[in-house]
Amino acid sequence: MRRLSTKNSTQLLSPAYLFGALIVSILVPMRAHAQAVTMLPVVVQNCMRNAAMPGVTVGAKNGGSGISEIHGHASIPLPRGMKAGDPVSLEVYDPTDVVLLFPLRGEGEHIPSGAGNYVEMHVIRTRDLTMLQNAACLAGVMALASHRATAPHHSRSTSPTFFQLAAFSPDEQNQAAPLGLINSAAADRVGFSVAQIEAAMAAFSSDPLTWKSVLLTAQIDFGNHDPFSTILSFGKTDVEFGIGWWGLRRGTLQTLLQQMRNADRAQFDAAMGDGLPFIEKLIAASGTDAIDMANRELVDSGSSSRIKALWNERFGQLGSNPTFQHIQFQNLQPWVDKARAVTAQYGLRSERGFAFVYDVLYSRGRVAEYARVKAAFGGFREKFGRDPDEAEKLLLLANLVKSRLGVHRRDELISRAYAFATGHGIVFGRGVDLDSDGLGMRDMRTGKPIVIREDKSITEKLLQGWLPDGVFGSPTDARPSTTLPPSTPQPST
């Protein structure tokens, strides 16, 4: 959701759009009154965020449709009884060569409240190769092509996925072409060939696990929105941006912004506009000082979780710039390499296993002391007379993560850990199914299904948090040997 800035409102708002926005402002004064909303204002742009897309027929599921005008604005009639804050599914009907990229599959948006608020729809015209030169556009194409019908949760399905992930070492990945990663039928549905998408991927990163990490951020953490351009406020405790969730609290966002400005000062300064003096001060600030500054300047006074529209536009320009997208990739890669190494060290082979480790490392810093991981796996062997299978290892790891959590956000983080361990669950209030997003119980190197035992009694015991006796008596000085370069921005936790 975005809010119209005064900078653009005079130029962009047509009388018909103003009428649609007025209807919304009249019918949605407060969520508490539960008044119905009849019209949804939207703005249709290309996925590079540099041009409006007029003449596109867009609609809401079970509702009506509208046609975008010269500046991309449209008003969509909503189904009866919908209210501000309700989820809404968006669709593109015509022309047939225009595909909705963000929000992915039209999901993840909510009806805004208040005059001037609107929803952004980012689209791509099929067969337009210039769009694949932009990482955000490419990520959207790849996410659409990777999504498939939900498979059974035990993941024995042999359905082809868009990616066939290869668990290469850093040396191997430099020698490996990204061949065989793409399902040609899935690629054809969004209007591009396998070769075209592979070439576009390689221009940013030929490492498939890096791209998987990007898509994971888009679909899980950023609610199906463009992961390169999204900036979020977390209840005035932090502000995070980009595919690596770079944040102010740990100083990673300041580092990233400085790297972007060093790479292309003219484009960076142009994107910030008259907000540049503030950004210069923000880059120089650290910790709570930076967060206090952001809360005063970046965060909408009406909601501690919403960024002001003008700053959304400015960071959107940074995120849609290919030069700055490359910098985001460069800062993300060390974390992907670390997750790959830890995944292998724990004896995990699956796409889901990589997703679990990557998510915990980036959001929490460490899964668990390595000695405790070994003790947990060894204790399982002593208890049940066999080694844990892939799914059981992930549940043991989730229980180790759970054991380390404090009170702050405990329930949310436990839910997240089990969602990644089991492949399905609730994260940030949204249903997650890693299988349907191409991160299933399949071998990272071959793409073949990994057979699991599905012992219901053991699974139930693990889901209740069981860990072997003696795990917490293990020494704490043995841990994964992989470390990050000192210059690498650290994650916000």
Side-chain angles (χ1 to χ4, degrees):
M1 182 183 76
R2 297 291 186 266
R3 185 177 179 87
L4 292 169
S5 67
T6 55
K7 178 185 73 172
N8 295 327
S9 58
T10 302
Q11 173 187 359
L12 295 181
L13 294 185
S14 66
Y17 177 79
L18 282 171
F19 176 75
L22 178 63
I23 292 293
V24 172
S25 68
I26 293 173
L27 292 177
V28 195
M30 291 179 64
R31 181 177 175 85
H33 291 297
Q35 292 183 326
V37 183
T38 60
M39 302 292 288
L40 175 68
V42 300
V43 176
V44 186
Q45 299 176 303
N46 70 15
C47 55
M48 297 174 69
R49 295 172 175 258
N50 62 6
M53 294 288 286
V56 179
T57 303
V58 296
K61 186 177 181 180
N62 300 321
S65 63
I67 301 176
S68 58
E69 300 180 1
I70 187 169
H71 297 299
H73 295 278
S75 293
I76 301 174
L78 290 168
R80 294 175 64 88
M82 298 198 75
K83 304 177 294 297
D86 285 348
V88 60
S89 296
L90 302 173
E91 299 175 336
V92 170
Y93 300 125
D94 192 68
T96 57
D97 66 341
V98 172
V99 176
L100 177 62
L101 291 189
F102 298 108
L104 291 170
R105 300 175 292 280
E107 302 167 359
E109 280 293 354
H110 292 77
I111 299 173
S113 62
N117 285 333
Y118 63 94
V119 168
E120 290 184 356
M121 299 177 69
H122 296 138
V123 302
I124 190 170
R125 196 174 295 277
T126 60
R127 296 179 293 280
D128 184 349
L129 292 176
T130 60
M131 296 291 177
L132 295 188
Q133 297 172 18
N134 184 286
C137 299
L138 180 57
V141 168
M142 293 162 65
L144 288 181
S146 68
H147 189 77
R148 59 188 175 86
T150 301
H153 293 312
H154 51 72
S155 304
R156 290 178 186 257
S157 170
T158 57
S159 300
T161 60
F162 183 66
F163 286 101
Q164 299 297 326
L165 294 185
F168 300 132
S169 67
D171 290 339
E172 290 173 323
Q173 81 183 41
N174 293 332
Q175 303 170 9
L179 299 176
L181 301 178
I182 299 170
N183 180 299
S184 60
D188 288 343
R189 286 196 294 272
V190 287
F192 299 98
S193 70
V194 171
Q196 289 167 340
I197 296 176
E198 284 182 343
M201 287 171 58
F204 290 95
S205 174
S206 60
D207 181 1
L209 289 180
T210 299
W211 277 107
K212 275 293 187 185
S213 304
V214 170
L215 299 185
L216 193 68
T217 298
Q219 295 172 117
I220 306 299
D221 293 286
F222 288 163
N224 289 332
H225 291 86
D226 169 7
F228 292 90
S229 304
T230 298
I231 178 170
L232 298 175
S233 170
F234 290 88
K236 296 193 174 183
T237 62
D238 205 358
V239 170
E240 298 184 355
F241 169 75
I243 59 175
W245 326 332
W246 293 288
L248 294 175
R249 186 162 64 91
R250 291 285 299 275
T252 57
L253 180 53
Q254 297 94 310
T255 300
L256 183 77
L257 293 174
Q258 186 62 64
Q259 290 175 354
M260 289 179 171
R261 195 176 190 213
N262 292 344
D264 195 320
R265 181 177 291 263
Q267 291 191 66
F268 183 94
D269 292 358
M272 292 296 102
D274 59 12
L276 180 62
F278 169 79
I279 288 296
E280 290 177 322
K281 294 178 182 177
L282 186 68
I283 290 173
S286 59
T288 56
D289 289 341
I291 294 170
D292 289 343
M293 291 173 61
N295 288 333
R296 291 192 297 268
E297 176 66 23
L298 302 183
V299 179
D300 194 318
S301 59
S303 171
S304 62
S305 62
R306 188 169 61 215
I307 300 296
K308 293 176 182 176
L310 182 55
W311 285 105
N312 261 318
E313 294 173 9
R314 288 167 173 165
F315 277 85
Q317 291 181 49
L318 294 182
S320 61
N321 183 301
T323 298
F324 302 148
Q325 289 170 347
H326 278 285
I327 291 173
Q328 291 196 45
F329 270 107
Q330 290 165 8
N331 282 293
L332 185 69
Q333 189 63 51
W335 285 98
V336 177
D337 293 341
K338 180 177 182 180
R340 175 189 284 110
V342 173
T343 300
Q345 188 167 27
Y346 291 169
L348 299 171
R349 299 185 294 120
S350 66
E351 299 167 350
R352 188 193 300 171
F354 170 81
F356 175 91
V357 170
Y358 172 81
D359 182 75
V360 175
L361 285 177
Y362 217 126
S363 62
R364 304 297 301 165
R366 186 176 61 184
V367 178
E369 289 92 345
Y370 184 49
R372 289 182 177 172
V373 174
K374 291 196 297 182
F377 291 174
F380 181 100
R381 186 185 310 113
E382 292 178 8
K383 173 75 173 178
F384 300 108
R386 62 172 176 83
D387 289 327
D389 64 22
E390 186 87 0
E392 292 160 345
K393 285 180 179 179
L394 288 174
L395 286 173
L396 286 166
L397 291 172
N399 291 339
L400 286 171
V401 170
K402 178 181 176 180
S403 71
R404 297 175 57 228
L405 295 176
V407 176
H408 180 61
R409 297 172 60 200
R410 179 178 174 84
D411 290 344
E412 171 194 316
L413 294 170
I414 290 173
S415 176
R416 184 184 184 100
Y418 283 112
F420 276 82
T422 63
H424 57 96
I426 303 296
V427 176
F428 296 143
R430 295 186 296 271
V432 170
D433 191 312
L434 296 186
D435 250 343
S436 68
D437 291 323
L439 284 162
M441 193 58 73
R442 293 173 296 273
D443 190 284
M444 290 185 294
R445 181 180 293 276
T446 66
K448 294 181 179 180
I450 293 176
V451 177
I452 58 178
R453 292 177 176 270
E454 298 183 281
D455 187 315
K456 293 182 179 180
S457 62
I458 293 179
T459 299
E460 182 63 28
K461 192 177 185 70
L462 291 169
L463 287 171
Q464 292 174 359
W466 178 83
L467 284 169
D469 293 336
V471 167
F472 297 102
S474 303
T476 60
D477 58 347
R479 59 190 61 183
S481 59
T482 52
T483 56
L484 294 178
S487 60
T488 302
Q490 300 297 304
S492 299
T493 59

